[in-house]
């Protein structure tokens, strides 16, 4: 996964991350209302060693060190089954040692004889009662252990510094902690969502995403910027626009490609989601500007996009193929381009296109014109394109940015090559002019200005 793919996914799905973070925060806040509160009561004890009266200072230091070591060792005794069983017996609990031990804890700050014994409970009173039972059981156990077996006084004494009190506020749930955890979970899910979306997104977003991952597709010979005016005849209507210049660039590159036949050129969209008719029309207009006499055939008998865009009527291609009219009578001139509209068809488009009449028509137009441009049906999943492209000397694939996927473009290319048709190039339509997918050349297009007198 490239950085461009990840940035594109972030740009598209950032709102999902924000929404999931907000949902996670709300869920964390709401969890506090359904979670059972936990109160904690803590007592502080100090371990002392009964040094003899009149002991030297060195003896007192040793006594203090001994108490510190004992305090650390007592942390194990406090959580032993012997102490916890005493707590259970004192409170009359029916729980096991393992269950009760989860509510008890002890801490011994480093290098101090201080012990902090804590107990959790569902209420403040229950936590205080359990903490007191814990202190009593622990103190008695230590006293029993430290008392000499032959009788006498234990050298260690445990005094209470702070009695366990009833807490005013529960320690759990903590609203801020729950909200933070909810936001973190929402952020994690959002980032996973973006990563999955980036990996699964295999669409063609611009010229740079054509032919990646080892896809065997023709090279890109041009891009039409998305900010084109949208006019069906932009080259004629807005000759100084960025879109018009992009169409002229495609025409110029196509006209100067070595070993490319320009007598008959088929423009084929990769899928039904790709738009090619505006490219076909403006390519014809650009060629006309270059002094080429062009005939444009709307060979997409299923949609007739060129015919609809130019608002043409008449028997058109379908009528000519059925023998109802002559090609010369069906042609319409638009800005110097002879256009053969689609006409009306009641037959299967593949049936009309597969006959010899279509090949003969295209050949006749190529003899009376310098160039014939065919606006063909999509390569996937229709068969009409094979008949149109087979009659052409060169085939140009068109793909709309953000619509077709790279596997679909590869499949369209492979399908044409399977019948001996090798597309000369790919044109990206509606190419982005900004962001991570901007074409380095297309993004520089600007509306041109007429030269000053």
């Amino acid at each position: 996964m490239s950085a461009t793919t990840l940035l594109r996914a972030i740009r598209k799905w950032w709102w999902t991350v924000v929404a999931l973070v907000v949902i996670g925060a709300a869920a964390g806040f709401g969890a506090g209302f359904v979670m059972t509160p936990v109160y904690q009561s803590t007592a502080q004890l100090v371990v002392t060693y009964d040094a003899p009266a009149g002991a030297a200072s060195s003896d007192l230091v040793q006594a203090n060190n001994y108490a510190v070591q004992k305090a650390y060792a007592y942390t194990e005794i406090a959580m032993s089954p012997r102490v916890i069983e005493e707590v259970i017996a004192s409170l009359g609990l029916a729980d096991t040692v393992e269950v009760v031990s989860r509510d008890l804890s002890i801490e011994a700050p480093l290098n101090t004889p201080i012990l902090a014994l804590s107990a959790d409970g569902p209420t403040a009173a229950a936590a205080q009662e359990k903490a007191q039972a814990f202190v009593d059981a622990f103190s008695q156990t230590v006293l029993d252990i430290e008392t000499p077996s032959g009788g006498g006084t234990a050298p260690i004494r445990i005094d209470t510094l702070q009695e366990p009190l009833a807490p005013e506020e529960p320690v759990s749930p903590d609203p801020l902690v729950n909200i933070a955890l909810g936001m973190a979970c929402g952020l994690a899910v959002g980032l996973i969502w973006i990563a999955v979306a980036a990996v699964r997104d295999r669409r063609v977003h611009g010229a740079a995403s054509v032919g990646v991952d080892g896809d065997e597709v023709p090279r890109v010979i041009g891009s039409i910027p998305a900010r084109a005016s949208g006019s069906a005849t932009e080259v004629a209507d807005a000759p100084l626009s960025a879109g018009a210049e992009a169409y002229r660039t495609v025409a110029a590159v196509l006209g100067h490609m070595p070993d490319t036949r320009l007598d008959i050129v088929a423009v084929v969209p990769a899928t039904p989601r790709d738009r090619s008719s505006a490219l076909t029309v403006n390519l014809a207009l650009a060629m006309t500007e270059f002094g080429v006499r062009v005939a444009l055939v709307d060979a997409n008998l299923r949609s007739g996009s060129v015919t609809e865009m130019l608002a043409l009527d008449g028997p058109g291609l379908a009528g000519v193929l059925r023998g109802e009219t002559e090609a010369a009578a069906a042609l319409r001139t638009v800005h110097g381009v002879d256009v053969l509209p689609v006409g009306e068809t009641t037959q299967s488009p593949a049936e009309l296109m597969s006959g010899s009449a279509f090949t003969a028509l295209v050949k006749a137009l190529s003899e009376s014109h310098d160039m014939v441009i065919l606006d063909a049906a999509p390569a996937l999943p229709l068969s009409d394109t094979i008949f149109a492209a087979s009659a052409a000397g060169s085939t140009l694939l068109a793909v709309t940015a953000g619509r077709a996927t790279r596997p679909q473009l590869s499949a369209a290319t492979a399908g044409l090559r399977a019948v001996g048709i090798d597309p000369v190039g790919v044109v990206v339509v509606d190419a982005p002019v900004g962001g991570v997918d901007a074409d380095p050349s297309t993004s520089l297009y600007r509306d041109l200005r007429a030269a000053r007198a």
Side-chain angles (χ1 to χ4, degrees), residues 7 77 241 289 295 313 327 330 384 409 434:
L7 288 175
I77 295 177
S241 68
E289 285 188 348
D313 55 14
D384 310 7
L409 181 58

Side-chain angles (χ1 to χ4, degrees), residues 426-451:
V426 175
V427 176
V428 179
V429 181
D430 286 345
V433 296
V436 296
D437 296 305
D439 188 305
S441 60
T442 305
S443 60
L444 296 177
Y445 280 129
R446 298 292 186 269
D447 289 345
L448 307 178
R449 295 182 179 180

Side-chain angles (χ1 to χ4, degrees), residues 46 93 120 173 176 199-200 203 205 210 223 243 253 255 273 277 281 284 286 292 299 307 351:
V46 60
L93 302 177
D120 297 340
L176 293 180
V199 171
R200 292 176 59 87
R203 291 175 296 170
H205 291 278
V210 175
S223 299
V253 172
R273 301 181 64 190
S277 297
V281 172
V292 179
T307 302
E351 181 182 351

Side-chain angles (χ1 to χ4, degrees), residues 154-331:
I156 291 295
R157 186 174 74 251
I158 296 180
D159 296 322
T160 302
L161 296 179
Q162 176 182 310
E163 297 287 348
L165 303 176
E168 296 181 357
E169 298 290 338
V171 294
S172 176
D174 187 335
L176 293 180
V177 172
N178 289 346
I179 291 174
L181 288 175
M183 293 177 66
C185 292
L187 178 62
V189 173
L191 294 178
I192 293 174
W193 175 282
I194 286 180
V196 172
V199 171
R200 292 176 59 87
D201 186 6
R202 307 185 67 184
R203 291 175 296 170
V204 175
H205 291 278
S209 57
V210 175
V212 300
D213 299 334
D215 298 333
E216 295 184 1
V217 297
R219 69 184 184 92
V220 177
I221 65 172
S223 299
I224 310 302
R227 64 184 179 189
S229 68
S231 171
T233 55
E234 185 168 2
V235 171
D237 297 339
L240 300 182
S241 68
E245 184 61 22
Y247 288 123
R248 292 190 190 97
T249 301
V250 173
V253 172
L254 182 63
H256 288 78
M257 292 179 64
D259 303 325
T260 299
R261 290 178 51 191
L262 297 180
D263 54 343
I264 305 172
V265 176
V267 179
V268 179
T271 72
R273 301 181 64 190
D274 297 300
R275 298 189 293 265
S276 66
S277 297
L279 170 63
T280 306
V281 172
N282 285 280
L283 178 62
L285 292 173
M287 287 295 186
T288 302
E289 285 188 348
F290 297 157
V292 179
R293 188 181 180 191
V294 180
L296 172 58
V297 179
D298 189 349
N300 189 347
L301 294 176
R302 297 178 185 269
S303 65
S305 299
V306 169
T307 302
E308 182 179 353
M309 290 174 59
L310 300 179
L312 302 178
D313 55 14
L317 175 62
V320 174
L321 295 181
R322 288 196 298 264
E324 299 173 355
T325 186
E326 296 294 330
L331 289 174

